[in-house]
Amino acid sequence: MPLILFNKPFQVMSQFSAHPERQTLADFITLPEVYPAGRLDADSEGLLLLTDDGKLQHAISHPRRKQPKTYLAQVEGLVSPEALERLRKPLDLGDFVTQKSDARLIQEPAWLWPRTPPIRQRLNQPTSWIALTISEGKNRQVRRMTAAVGLPTLRLVRIAIGPFSLATHPLLPGEWKEVDALELEK
């Protein structure tokens, strides 16, 4: 039962079936019968887990299991203490209210690879970085959360799911490796 860690590049679709305009997981992973446990939208990059085990896939991606997911978000603007506090508390996004999260202002990570193509830069608009850990994963949730506090996301990189992290398992965009699924139990 393989568990695959994959660093999904920007603009790659989280699917194996062909897409008319974009690369998919099939362009990077040639193992038969593995499927993503969760998704990342095309505009997001970073850690994606894949497995051939349906029970494991369910254990990773089901909301009741609450596997924490950590994201690095480069946002437009300067992050205030009030904005961070709003991100930490349940936040009403209109169609749902988020659970509490961990949100911290961080420096731009020196180890982070450059994005291709680079984000748009505006000389008169500074950017900031936030590390945000959530235990749910609604569609475009982190982007919607940062926008709700006045900080549109320019770049979003998922760096950890549960015990698996790109810090302890460094992978460049497009790289993958097999790990022991028993690490989920720790």
Side-chain angles (χ1 to χ4, degrees), residues 71-164:
Y71 297 83
L72 301 182
Q74 184 178 16
V75 296
E76 189 172 81
L78 298 176
V79 179
S80 68
E82 295 80 20
L84 282 176
E85 191 58 30
R86 286 186 63 204
L87 288 170
R88 290 179 187 125
K89 294 181 177 178
L91 186 61
D92 188 346
L93 297 179
D95 55 338
F96 74 97
V97 176
T98 66
Q99 297 175 5
K100 290 181 181 181
S101 66
D102 178 44
R104 296 176 285 117
L105 181 63
I106 62 169
Q107 294 296 314
E108 180 176 356
W111 56 266
L112 190 61
W113 57 89
R115 194 184 86 177
T116 304
I119 66 155
R120 74 182 192 292
Q121 294 282 0
R122 297 193 310 186
L123 293 178
N124 62 347
Q125 185 64 40
T127 66
S128 304
W129 284 86
I130 299 171
L132 189 64
T133 301
I134 61 175
S135 59
E136 55 197 339
K138 309 259 192 223
N139 188 34
R140 299 182 74 84
Q141 180 176 336
V142 172
R143 292 177 188 280
R144 292 180 63 199
M145 289 172 70
T146 62
V149 300
L151 300 165
T153 295
L154 301 172
R155 184 177 182 192
L156 188 61
V157 182
R158 182 163 57 197
I159 62 164
I161 301 170
F164 301 106

Side-chain angles (χ1 to χ4, degrees), residues 51-72:
T51 182
D52 65 348
D53 182 306
K55 287 182 181 180
L56 180 59
Q57 183 181 29
H58 181 78
I60 294 168
S61 59
H62 196 278
R64 286 197 180 122
R65 294 300 299 262
K66 299 193 184 329
Q67 290 289 337
K69 299 165 193 73
T70 301
Y71 297 83
L72 301 182

Side-chain angles (χ1 to χ4, degrees), residues 41-56:
D41 63 40
D43 294 334
S44 300
E45 52 194 306
L47 188 60
L48 189 64
L49 302 182
L50 300 98
T51 182
D52 65 348
D53 182 306
K55 287 182 181 180
L56 180 59

